[in-house]
Amino acid sequence: MHNNWKKNIVTFLASQNISLFGSMLVQYAITWYITLQTQSGVMMTVAIICGFVPTFFISPFAGVWADRYNRKLLIIASDSLTAITTLILAILFIMGHGSIWLLFVASAIRSIGTGIQTPALGAILPDLVPEDMLTRVNGVNSSIQSLVFLVSPLLSGALLTLATIEAIFFIDVVTAAIAVFILSLLNVKLHAKALQKSDISYFGDMQQGLRYISNHGFIRTLFIFCGIFFILAAPLSFLTPLQVTRSFGAEVWRLTAIEVAFSVGMMAGGIIIAAWGGFKNRLHTMITSVVVIAVGTFALGIVPIFWIYLAIMGMVGMVLPMFNTPFIVLLQEKVETDFLGRVFSVLNMISSSIMPLAMLVYGPAADMIRIEWLLLGTGLLILVEGFFMLGNKVLIEAGKPENKLEPI
């Protein structure tokens, strides 16, 4: 590990969070534009599918690329694709060709960029940070991202009320360009496989990655529980803005408020996990987070007062880094570096496919029954999953400190 790793990680996190800021501005603008224009669960489902499904299809290739090639260049390429797409979108809107369906197409292309970038981001961090600092750095990054999530909806909401959506598109183009420039200055040592000439085909590499996951009891089991969690968390993730619009009022400030409350909670949670590090057994930290998320999801289905609703959103946001950080660190610690890209790509496939598939049920259901009922039901089921995780010996054993995972 380079002696100047701190300088490298500061540069890297700066570039990625600048890029994230612009992307979040656009994401909030698109989501709120569709929500306020349509107030339709079906249209929200279409938007979610466009934003996730392309990630699913590109992820297997992206995982191989992240293990074969220069991860820094892959991140630069994905940021550039996102910037170009957003620039074209802005120009078309200015020319009077803007529409909901054009936003769907742009979201799909941006999703491809996300699919390329995510495995590379997950795999490159151990190349920049000493292993014993991964939890702290991931926690700090979570807090920085939460600050971005806090500022982004505020600015996006202000711009949507004071200016046009095109202004937000152009901000994203500028931030992406800045991020690419900063990242280009970073010197990242290539991982071993990127220096080798590979004779294995793409599909051969994919098969190796899938075999690697299936042969590790911990990774396999963790991904199964992760998939179940994504199914149950879809209403919390995607339908709460629609719930607020229907139950409390269709004002932009309300949508901004729930994002701000969630982001403040996440920022606090990131600081806590960076300073604390979590329980000795990382799975206990994750399970605690799952239980609190379950209680919060259930509570969002019964709270009649908006300010209490915001407090609960903040609580859910606060415990989310306590799930994400140990989850990512466990993978970064236990997965061989030559397989990191493919493991993260499979995780990306799970998240990008299961939630849209779940929304095929939840979205239309939200137009037939109250979203509150969906939150009550999924909250109870998330709580049940938390207790199953606590009773799973493979997960608990793998979460213990100094436990070196071996294939089984």
Side-chain angles (χ1 to χ4, degrees), residues 54 80 112 129 277 379 394:
S80 301
I112 294 174
V129 181
V394 173

Side-chain angles (χ1 to χ4, degrees), residues 51 112 186 188 204 225 297 305 352 367 374 394:
I112 294 174
L186 180 65
V188 182
F225 275 99
T297 302
I305 301 172
S352 63
D367 288 338
L374 295 175
V394 173

Side-chain angles (χ1 to χ4, degrees), residues 125-144:
L125 207 57
D127 295 334
L128 298 170
V129 181
E131 183 174 320
D132 61 346
M133 295 299 295
L134 280 172
T135 297
R136 193 173 299 274
V137 169
N138 276 289
V140 169
N141 189 39
S142 177
S143 293
I144 297 172

Side-chain angles (χ1 to χ4, degrees), residues 53-93:
V53 171
T55 297
F56 172 80
F57 286 109
I58 197 67
S59 286
F61 298 96
V64 174
W65 297 336
D67 286 336
R68 276 193 179 191
Y69 304 125
N70 189 317
R71 291 163 179 166
K72 185 183 83 170
L73 294 181
L74 287 172
I75 296 170
I76 289 175
S78 64
D79 276 338
S80 301
L81 174 63
T82 299
I84 293 170
T85 302
T86 308
L87 178 61
I88 294 173
L89 183 63
I91 293 171
L92 290 173
F93 263 73

